[in-house]
Amino acid sequence: MLRYIAKRLAGMIPLFIGITLISFVVIHLAPGDPAQFIASMNPKLSETAYQKFVKMYELDKPVLERYINWLGKFARFDFGESFSQDGKTVMEKIKERLPVTIWLNVAGMVLIFLFALPLGVLSAYYKDSLFDKGVTVFVFAGFAMPTFWLALLCMYYFGVVKGWFPISGLRSFNYDYLSTFGKIADIAKHTFMPVVISVFGGLAGISRFARNSMLDVLKEEYVTAARARGLNESRVVFTHALKNALLPVVTIIGLSVPGLIGGSVIFESIFSIPGMGQLFYQSVMMRDYPVVMGVLVIGAMLTLAGNLIADIAYAAVDPRIRYGSKKSN
Amino acid sequence: MKKIVFLLLAVLCVSFLSGCEDKNKEGGKTAEKRKAEGVTGDALVISTLGDASGLIYNITSDSASHEVSQYIYNGLVKFDKNLNIIGDLAESWEISDDSKTITFKLKKNVKWHDGEPFTADDVEFTYKFMIDNSTPTSYDADFRLVTGFQVIDPYTVRISYAEPFAPALLSWSMAVIPKHLLEGKEAAKSSLMRSPVGTGMYRFKEWKSGESITLEANEDYFDGRPNLDRLIFRIIPDLNTTFMELLNGSVDIMGLTPTQWVKQTDTALFTNSYDKYTYLAPSYAYIGYNMKNPLFEDKRIRQALTYATPKQEIIDGILFGEGVPAHGPYKPGTLWYNDNVKKYEYSPEKAKQLLAEAGWADSDGDGILDKDGKQFSFTLMTNQGNSVRTKIAETVQQNWSKIGIKVEIRVLEWASFINEYIDKGKFDAVVMGWNIVQDPDPYDVWHSSKCGPKMLNFICYSNPEVDQLIDDGRHTMNPQERKKYYDRFQEILAEDQPYTFLYVPNALVALSKRFREVDPAPAGITYNLEEWYVPAGEQKYRFEK
C-alpha cells in the first residue's frame, strides 16, 4: 500500500509540471497584459511610465523564462506577488478569500448529501411512484433554474418584502459589537439564502446518482437472496443494499474536494460574497498572472490529491480492490 | 434575460405593495439651515461595484479606490459647484506674467490625520513621488512637464514649466501625500495602502476586505468637521443586488440604470424613502471612423453617416430618454461647450444625396451602394459587456442599411479589442465612449501627433488647423482666451465629423430622503458632501465616539 502511494505521488510530479506549464502558457496567450490595462485609454500616463510597468511585471522576458522563474519560486512555496496595485502576495489574497468559500461550499455540500442521498434512495425504492416522479421534477427544476434569477426573486421576497433575511453580504455592520452567539446567528442568517439556493441547484446530481446506484443494487441477486431468507425489508434495504449502493458515492466525495475551493462568479456577485470565484474572475480579467496561477495550482493539487484519496478510500471500503499486493496468485 | 427578471420583479412589486398603506410623510425637503445642535451624526452608505485596490490615491487607478480616497486626501486646488477652480490646500496662487510659473501659498492650519502639520515639504515630496521611476503611478504625464520646483518657505512653493501649460493648475488637484510617513518607503507596500493618512475631511476607520470600507469624520478638518459621522462604502458587485439593498434601506445612494430609473422606481416603497436626482453625466458616446481607411477619407461620407444616425431615437429607445444629443466633445452647459456648430438632424435623404455626390450609387440594384465595383460595407466594432453599445451598433446597422450601407457588427472582449484592433489600427468603425474630463485640453484625443499604438487618437484624425488650435489653447492660461481656440476647434470637428457624436447621458441618482442640503450642480451631487446632514429625529445610525 505505501509503495503504491509513493508511486502515485512520484507520478504526480510530471503531471503537475505539465498542468502548470500548459496553464501558464495559455493565460499568457490571452490578448492584453497587465501593463496595458493600466495604460489603455489613460492620457495621464507617460510613455516612460508604461515601460516602467512592463519592467515591473517582467513582461519583457520570454514566457518560458518567466515560467521557470515561477516554478523555481513555487518550489520554495512562494506564489509571488499579485500584479494588482494593492501589493499583496498571492498567498495573502487567497487566504483572505478561502475561508468564506470553503465555509459556503462545505455547508452546501453537507446539506446536498444530507438531502440528496435519502431522496435518491427512496426514489429508487419507490421507483415510478408519484413520489419518485415528484422528486424528479423537483430536483430537475432546481438544476434547470438559473441561480441568479432565483436568487433575485428570493432576495426581493424574503429580503425586501418580508425582511426575514439580509439581502447580501457576509456580516452586519454591527457584527463586531455582537456577542459570540450573536455573531454565529448573524453569519448563519447571512449564509442561509445563498446556501439554500445552491443546495436546491445541486440536489439533482447526487440524488440521481444515488437513485441509479440503488436501482442497480436492488436488482442484485444477494438482495433477492436476503429477501428469500426472510429478512425484514428495512434490513434488506439499509444493511444489505444501501451499503453497497453508497460505495460509488465515495468516489464522488473524493472528486468534489477541488470543488470546495471554487466559487461561482455569478453567485458570489449576486450575494456580494468575497470568495474565490470573484478573485479568480477579476484576476483573469486584469491578467493578474500570479494570482491566476496560484488559484489554478491549488485547484490542480486538490484534484490530484482528491483522486488519490478516492482511490485509497476505495481500497479501504471495497474488499474486491487491493493495490500493490500480488499475494492472491 | 435581465429584462425578463425585471419585468417579473416589476409585477411582483405591484402585487406585493398594493397592500401597503401609503405612509407618505409631508415632503421633508425644507431648506432649514445647518443648526448647531443635533445636526451631526448618522452615516451615508455608498455602494461600490468592486473592492478598492489601495487607498493611496496617487498609485491606484481603479474607480473604487478613487471614490473612497477622494475623501481622505486634498489637492492644492479643487472645483467648486460650478466647476471653477478654487483653493483646497492652497490659500491662494499667482501665475507669472509669462504664464510659466505658478506660486502657491498654502493654508497654515492643516494637519495630517496623525496630528503632524502639513507643509510645503509634503507638496515637494508628492511632486518627486509622482515623477520617481520606481513609483507605480499612472498619472505622471503632467508632472513630468515641470521644470523647476522650489520650496520658498514652509508655506509657499513655486513651480515652473518650460512653456505655458494650461492644464498645469488643475494638475495640482492631485492628492498630496504625507512625506513623514512615506519618505524612503516603497509606497505600494506601505501600510498606508491599507490604512491611509491624509488631510481630508474623513479619516480612515476600517476596511473589511471584499465587504466594506468605513471612514469617519475628521474632527480637526481645516474646513470644519463634516456633518455626517461616517461614510460607509459597501462592496456589492452586482447592480441588481445593489438595487435590492437600496429598496431595503441598507444602501443610501446609488446610480440607477435607465431601466431602473424609468420602470422600477415609481412604487410607493421607493418614493417614500428616496429622491431621484438627474444631471448630465461627464461622458459621451460616439462612433469613430478609422481615418486611414480610404472608405472614410471623404468628409461627405462621414457627414452622410451622421445624417443617417438617429441620435434622438437612440436616446429614447436605449436610454429611455435620459440623455441629450451630442455634437462635440464638451459637455453642454459648461464654459467650453460651443452650441453654435453644424448639427446633423436625422435625414436619410441628405445622407443619400451626399453619398451620391461622393460617387456612390447602387448600380447593380442589390440594395447596397457601390463605386468602382466595390460595395459600401464595413465592420462596426465594440467591446463586450456594455449592452448599450451593442444596441447602438444594432440601431445604426439598421438605419444605415436604409441608405444602402452594409454593416457587420463585431463585439469583442475588451483586452483583445484594444490590443489587437484599436492599437493596431485594424478597424473600420467603432462604438465607444469617452469621459469628459474637467480640463478642456483635447490634445491627447485629437492632436495628430497622438496617432499611434497605445495613444488615444486611434482613429488618426489629422487636421493642421486643429493641431494649431490645440497647441495654442494648451499654452493659454486665460480661460476666456482659451475658449476662443476651442470654439473654433469644435466648429471644424463638426464639419469634419471624424466621430459621429451620439449623446451625453444623464446621471441618474437615487438618494435617501433623510439627507438635507443636497444640491445637484454642474459638479455633480456629492461635491458638497461635508454640508449634508440628517435632522436629529431622522438619524438612522448611531456611533459611539
Side-chain angles (χ1 to χ4, degrees), chain A residues 38 42 44-45 53 57 83-87, chain B residues 51-70 73 129-130 135-140 174-175 177 187-188 192-194 196 207:
Chain A
I38 295 168
N42 175 8
K44 297 289 174 210
L45 180 85
F53 280 112
Y57 298 143
F83 282 174
S84 84
Q85 291 148 319
D86 55 16
Chain B
D51 199 357
S53 61
L55 294 178
I56 298 181
Y57 190 96
N58 319 40
I59 55 171
T60 55
S61 51
D62 56 303
S63 61
S65 300
H66 283 182
E67 204 181 330
V68 177
S69 45
Q70 62 174 321
Y73 300 96
F129 179 80
M130 293 306 285
T135 302
T137 180
S138 33
Y139 305 98
D140 62 331
M174 178 53 70
I177 47 176
L192 296 196
M193 278 296 265
R194 302 292 297 179
W207 186 345

Side-chain angles (χ1 to χ4, degrees), chain B residues 290-491:
Chain B
N290 189 344
M291 305 292 284
K292 291 206 162 152
N293 185 331
L295 198 56
F296 304 113
E297 222 168 29
D298 189 335
K299 78 176 175 196
R300 285 172 297 186
I301 302 286
R302 303 188 303 263
Q303 291 173 339
L305 288 168
T306 303
Y307 269 126
T309 306
K311 295 181 186 177
Q312 195 58 46
E313 190 187 304
I314 288 172
I315 294 169
D316 292 341
I318 300 172
L319 301 182
F320 295 104
E322 295 301 332
V324 296
H327 305 286
Y330 295 116
K331 192 166 114 176
T334 56
L335 171 66
W336 312 108
Y337 179 72
N338 181 0
D339 195 44
N340 201 9
V341 299
K342 184 169 178 186
K343 289 175 185 162
Y344 300 78
E345 75 288 359
Y346 178 58
S347 167
E349 289 72 33
K350 280 189 187 158
K352 277 184 198 160
Q353 198 186 325
L354 280 165
L355 287 166
E357 278 172 30
W360 290 90
D362 184 12
S363 61
D364 53 6
D366 64 351
I368 300 165
L369 298 176
D370 51 76
K371 181 182 173 181
D372 309 330
K374 275 185 78 180
Q375 283 195 334
F376 200 133
S377 75
F378 63 90
T379 308
L380 184 58
M381 286 188 195
T382 191
N383 62 297
Q384 217 170 49
N386 187 326
S387 64
V388 169
R389 287 183 193 166
T390 319
K391 287 180 201 157
I392 292 171
E394 286 161 1
T395 311
V396 299
Q397 179 188 41
Q398 202 192 356
N399 278 279
W400 289 351
S401 77
K402 288 183 195 157
I403 56 166
I405 294 171
K406 190 176 151 197
V407 173
E408 263 179 66
I409 297 174
R410 269 190 89 176
V411 183
L412 291 154
E413 188 255 349
W414 177 256
S416 40
F417 178 53
I418 297 296
N419 223 32
E420 301 297 318
Y421 296 93
I422 296 286
D423 277 352
K424 295 185 179 159
K426 284 200 287 188
F427 63 93
D428 300 328
V430 293
V431 182
M432 283 183 74
W434 284 124
N435 284 335
I436 303 172
V437 293
Q438 287 103 344
D439 189 88
D441 181 21
Y443 190 81
D444 292 296
V445 178
W446 296 107
H447 198 276
S448 62
S449 68
K450 288 290 176 177
C451 152
K454 303 216 184 300
M455 293 207 237
L456 303 190
N457 184 5
F458 55 84
I459 62 161
C460 288
Y461 175 66
S462 159
N463 180 324
E465 195 186 345
V466 165
D467 284 355
Q468 189 56 49
L469 289 167
I470 292 174
D471 284 333
D472 290 344
R474 221 175 187 219
H475 297 143
T476 309
M477 299 298 255
N478 180 324
Q480 291 305 330
E481 287 288 311
R482 209 177 160 198
K483 179 177 162 56
K484 286 181 194 156
Y485 297 114
Y486 295 149
D487 279 352
R488 178 74 192 125
F489 158 67
Q490 289 172 74
E491 285 166 21

